[in-house]
Amino acid sequence: VPEESNIFWIGRKVTGEHYGTINIKKGYIDINENSVTSGEFFIDMNSIKVLDMSETYNKKLQKHLESSDFFTVDKFSEASFKIKDTYNFFMIDNILFNGDLTIKNETVETIIPATISINDSIAESIGIINVDRTLFGIIYGSGSFFDDIADRAIDDNFTLKFKLVAKKND
């Protein structure tokens, strides 16, 4: 349910961090006997928002994130995660989603730890993942690729905190 799901992102640099939101476009999960067997969800890259500065600076950073320095949203308007396997760990509501994360048409096998609750008609999952942007060809401002950027370096990893809600189709 895209309107009940959300993703909060955090990007860090040497001198601080920025944060904002991005929207789920659509998705599904298949559940068999209270276990997730497969699924896929899609992120609307055009919905990226910056929330931590004045409106003028938010818009400036948002445009930069949309540009070819970062996510090239005019060409790659969708990112996705396709679940291949799931594993329960520690307690029954803790789960590892193993699947393919695709950003900018680059796919990387990824494990996402989360919690999940499933009842008769609703499944809800909450989790946090750190994503290495350089694996998706996003190297702008990376200290791993550029030696001369000093305190302007941007962390290779960004964090996604998510809440996904799915309702049973009748």
Side-chain angles (χ1 to χ4, degrees):
V1 183
E3 58 275 5
E4 294 181 33
S5 301
N6 56 61
I7 300 176
F8 183 80
W9 62 264
I10 303 168
R12 294 171 189 83
K13 56 186 180 173
V14 172
T15 58
E17 69 181 30
H18 294 293
Y19 58 86
T21 60
I22 192 162
N23 296 335
I24 298 291
K25 186 175 184 178
K26 60 184 176 181
Y28 73 91
I29 58 169
D30 292 324
I31 297 172
N32 186 9
E33 296 181 15
N34 281 337
S35 293
V36 176
T37 58
S38 65
E40 189 168 18
F41 62 90
F42 299 88
I43 300 166
D44 179 3
M45 297 304 294
N46 287 300
S47 71
I48 195 162
K49 298 283 184 266
V50 180
L51 301 176
D52 66 305
M53 299 179 290
S54 70
E55 186 175 343
T56 301
Y57 288 110
N58 281 356
K59 294 288 185 203
K60 184 177 178 184
L61 179 55
Q62 178 181 319
K63 291 292 182 201
H64 196 200
L65 292 172
E66 292 171 347
S67 78
S68 60
D69 284 344
F70 288 96
F71 296 105
T72 320
V73 299
D74 60 337
K75 188 174 179 184
F76 305 105
S77 63
E78 233 175 48
S80 66
F81 182 73
K82 183 175 181 74
I83 298 168
K84 298 191 317 189
D85 295 301
T86 60
Y87 307 96
N88 287 92
F89 67 103
F90 298 121
M91 296 181 293
I92 195 157
D93 62 345
N94 290 321
I95 192 167
L96 295 174
F97 292 108
N98 178 38
D100 292 329
L101 179 62
T102 302
I103 300 172
K104 290 183 71 169
N105 227 23
E106 295 288 333
T107 301
V108 175
E109 187 167 351
T110 304
I111 294 176
I112 300 175
T115 60
I116 191 163
S117 63
I118 301 170
N119 67 32
D120 291 336
S121 62
I122 296 176
E124 182 175 299
S125 181
I126 298 171
I128 299 174
I129 179 174
N130 288 312
V131 179
D132 182 346
R133 65 188 174 96
T134 65
L135 298 176
F136 302 93
I138 305 168
I139 62 169
Y140 178 87
S142 170
S144 300
F145 288 85
F146 304 101
D147 295 329
D148 60 347
I149 56 176
D151 65 351
R152 294 177 289 126
I154 300 168
D155 196 325
D156 289 346
N157 293 302
F158 64 92
T159 302
L160 298 175
K161 298 179 179 183
F162 62 88
K163 173 183 165 186
L164 302 175
V165 178
K167 291 187 179 175
K168 184 177 181 179
N169 286 338
D170 293 322

